Structures are given as structure tokens and as C-alpha cells.
Amino acid sequence: MTHPRWPVVLFDLDGTLADTIGLIVASYNHAFQAVLGTERDEAEIRSWIGRPLIESFAEVSPEHAEELDRVYREWNIANTERLLRVYDGVAELLRDLTAAGVRTGVVTSKRRQTALLAMRGVGIEGLAPLLGTLEDTERHKPLPDPLLHGAAKLGVEPADCVYVGDAAVDVAAARAAGMAAIAVSWGAVGREVLEAAESDAVVDTVDELRQVIGLPASVPAR
């Protein structure tokens, strides 16, 4: 019998459920090259993932932030299908959580249009009943507002939730919201960053994530 540890599991999207990391890095550098005539280091860009785009652009070039954001979004949407990659086992995980009676949702800093495009591209659209996006709150991760909004929309208490993400801001937002936090190492940053963020667990594979949540390991296809 399956006994999940939490009745509610909320997920980040970029680098957690969908492999958008290459797409995001390329989108940032396209915008920087087109608007500023330069590019940024990939490690720096990866450290921004999980936060709203406009915040990162405003730190680099406040006077060009709006234009950078627009150019990024246009290129990102046009190239999502070409650069998006699937994390094996994610769709199965979402289905198995639902089958086990666990409520699920996606809480992301992406805009709704691009979030839906990514979820559709990796085959998980509709597998989690809640989608919380940039438009839903005024304040964003690492503040708790998006996660609290997600819990409220599901009608559950934050203490009954675990948030799964791939960045330190995800862990910080979960802590601030009063939720447990699981960090996955296959996304934007390495294990050492996530361990320093003091999550409840850091996992390296979807099967490890299943184990921490309380689901049995997946059975490989024959």
C-alpha cells in the first residue's frame, strides 16, 4: 500500500518538471545580444532561474529591462518546441501521485502562456489541477506569496504541502510559506547550492524523489 508523506505536492516547473534550462539560457543570451550587444555567463544565468525575468533584467540593465524582457519572451516562445527537453519519469510521477490520492499543483515564476506551452511540450498539461503563474501574485519567489496562493487555491493548509524545486529560491519560498522543501539536482544549479539552502532533502533522480515523497519506485518499461 502506498502512503505518501504529504497530502499535497506542489512543483516548480523550469528545471523541475520540464527541462527548459537550455532554452532559458539561450533566450537570455539572445536578448542580451540583441539589446545590449553582449552575453552573460551561463552560471550567472542559471542562478537567476526561478525568479521573474524582469527582476533579473532590471539588475543587469534597469533602463533596458522592459525591452530585454520583451525580446526574451518573443524568442523563447518561438524556440520552445525546438529546445525543450523531457525529464523521464515526470509524467508518470504526476499520474501516480493523483492515483495515490495526493493533490498536486505547479507554482512557477513563468507567465501563464509560456508555462502552458512548456507543460504541453513535455506532455504534462492537465496532470496537475493547479497552475499558479507570475500573473497570480504581486510578489514572487523567494517570498512565499506564490506558494501560499497555490495552497489557498487548492483549499489546503501550507503545513500539509511540500514544494519541489531546483533552485535555492524554491527552498526559501517553501520555508517562508511554512511548507516542507525538496530540492532536485537535475535542474538549474548543482547539489552543493541546494544542500546549502537547507532543504528537507536533495534528490538526484525522479526515483529518489518518488521515494522521499513515499511512492514506490517506477517500473522500467520492457
Side-chain angles (χ1 to χ4, degrees):
M1 179 155 317
T2 299
H3 297 286
R5 292 177 60 188
W6 296 275
V8 183
V9 182
L10 301 177
F11 293 91
D12 172 54
L13 179 56
D14 289 318
T16 302
L17 296 180
D19 185 357
T20 56
I21 304 303
L23 169 66
I24 290 171
V25 171
S27 299
Y28 265 113
N29 271 328
H30 170 80
F32 286 131
Q33 185 63 49
V35 177
L36 303 179
T38 186
E39 294 186 355
R40 310 292 290 200
D41 181 72
E42 180 172 341
E44 181 184 24
I45 293 173
R46 282 174 172 261
S47 74
W48 299 332
I49 295 175
R51 301 171 54 200
L53 291 171
I54 196 69
E55 291 182 4
S56 301
F57 285 132
E59 290 177 4
V60 174
S61 181
E63 66 275 23
H64 296 102
E66 294 290 342
E67 185 181 5
L68 286 163
D69 183 72
R70 177 186 60 78
V71 173
Y72 174 106
R73 288 187 290 110
E74 289 177 354
W75 195 89
N76 182 276
I77 290 171
N79 289 274
T80 290
E81 183 176 357
R82 179 173 66 89
L83 296 178
L84 189 65
R85 300 291 182 267
V86 173
Y87 290 131
D88 291 337
V90 163
E92 182 183 14
L93 169 63
L94 293 173
R95 293 189 186 97
D96 288 350
L97 284 169
T98 299
V102 176
R103 305 185 69 182
T104 60
V106 176
V107 178
T108 175
S109 296
K110 294 177 89 68
R111 288 176 172 84
R112 184 163 296 269
Q113 178 189 12
T114 50
L116 286 170
L117 189 63
M119 293 174 71
R120 188 175 305 124
V122 297
I124 62 172
E125 184 181 18
L127 296 185
L130 167 78
L131 175 58
T133 61
L134 181 77
E135 296 91 341
D136 291 319
T137 58
E138 292 185 4
R139 303 192 307 173
H140 306 285
K141 297 183 293 185
L143 295 173
D145 301 41
L147 279 63
L148 294 174
H149 171 80
K153 293 293 286 184
L154 288 176
V156 299
E157 293 297 322
D160 291 329
C161 304
V162 60
Y163 187 58
V164 182
D166 69 311
V169 294
D170 298 323
V171 177
R175 293 293 185 222
M179 298 180 183
I182 299 174
V184 304
S185 67
W186 57 73
V189 297
R191 171 176 268 272
E192 65 282 357
V193 174
L194 301 173
E195 289 176 342
E198 299 183 347
S199 60
D200 291 284
V202 180
V203 298
D204 299 317
T205 67
V206 174
D207 263 348
E208 287 183 19
L209 176 58
R210 294 174 67 97
Q211 181 179 0
V212 172
I213 292 173
L215 291 178
S218 60
V219 179
R222 295 188 179 185

